[in-house]
């Protein structure tokens, strides 16, 4: 499975203090584990640890390590040159779609 977007969403929610690998892995595990789709916590933890380690090595990456061992956060510095994610719902006016006034549904009778 691809947990990348969920990891970024969790780090965005965590803020500037960041979260430990264990807590991020538990959040991802709870999101994707289900009755018909069982995943192991060890596999999720291994993926999260490797993803964070791989994506925090460059100084201009979107993820950065904190001073505490095993804690990561989003790099929100202007010098990073990365996109800052905004997870809010976009409205139709922002997307350039014109709003249609009135009821446009089909009549059944």
């Amino acid at each position: 499975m691809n947990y990348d977007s969920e990891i970024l969403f969790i780090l965005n929610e965590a803020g500037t203090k960041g979260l430990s690998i264990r807590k991020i892995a538990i959040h991802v595990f709870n999101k994707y584990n289900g009755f018909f789709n069982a995943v192991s916590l060890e596999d999720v933890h291994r993926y999260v640890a490797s993803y964070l380690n791989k994506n925090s090595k460059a100084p201009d990456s979107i993820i950065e390590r904190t001073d505490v061992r095993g804690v990561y956060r989003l790099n929100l510095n202007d010098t990073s040159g990365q996109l800052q994610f905004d997870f809010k719902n976009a409205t139709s006016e922002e997307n350039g779609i014109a709003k249609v006034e009135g009821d446009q549904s089909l009549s059944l009778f």
Side-chain angles (χ1 to χ4, degrees), residues 16-19 64-73:
T16 59
K17 288 186 177 182
L19 277 178
E64 68 179 353
R65 292 182 177 128
T66 62
D67 296 333
V68 181
R69 181 177 180 259
V71 177
Y72 293 85
R73 65 179 171 209

Side-chain angles (χ1 to χ4, degrees), residues 31-48:
K31 171 83 179 200
Y32 287 99
N33 192 30
F35 186 70
F36 295 109
N37 186 21
V39 294
S40 70
L41 182 59
E42 292 82 22
D43 292 340
V44 173
H45 187 275
R46 191 176 309 116
Y47 181 84
V48 169

Side-chain angles (χ1 to χ4, degrees), residues 82-98:
Q82 293 283 333
L83 275 177
Q84 292 184 6
F85 295 102
D86 187 15
F87 291 103
K88 297 177 185 175
N89 291 333
T91 61
S92 61
E93 291 177 2
E94 293 173 353
N95 293 335
I97 301 171

Side-chain angles (χ1 to χ4, degrees), residues 1-35:
M1 290 197 124
N2 194 359
Y3 305 126
D4 301 348
S5 61
E6 187 64 27
I7 293 170
L8 292 175
F9 180 77
I10 292 167
L11 287 174
N12 184 43
E13 292 292 318
T16 59
K17 288 186 177 182
L19 277 178
S20 67
I21 296 172
R22 180 175 164 10
K23 289 184 180 182
I24 296 169
I26 289 173
H27 280 284
V28 173
F29 174 77
N30 288 336
K31 171 83 179 200
Y32 287 99
N33 192 30
F35 186 70

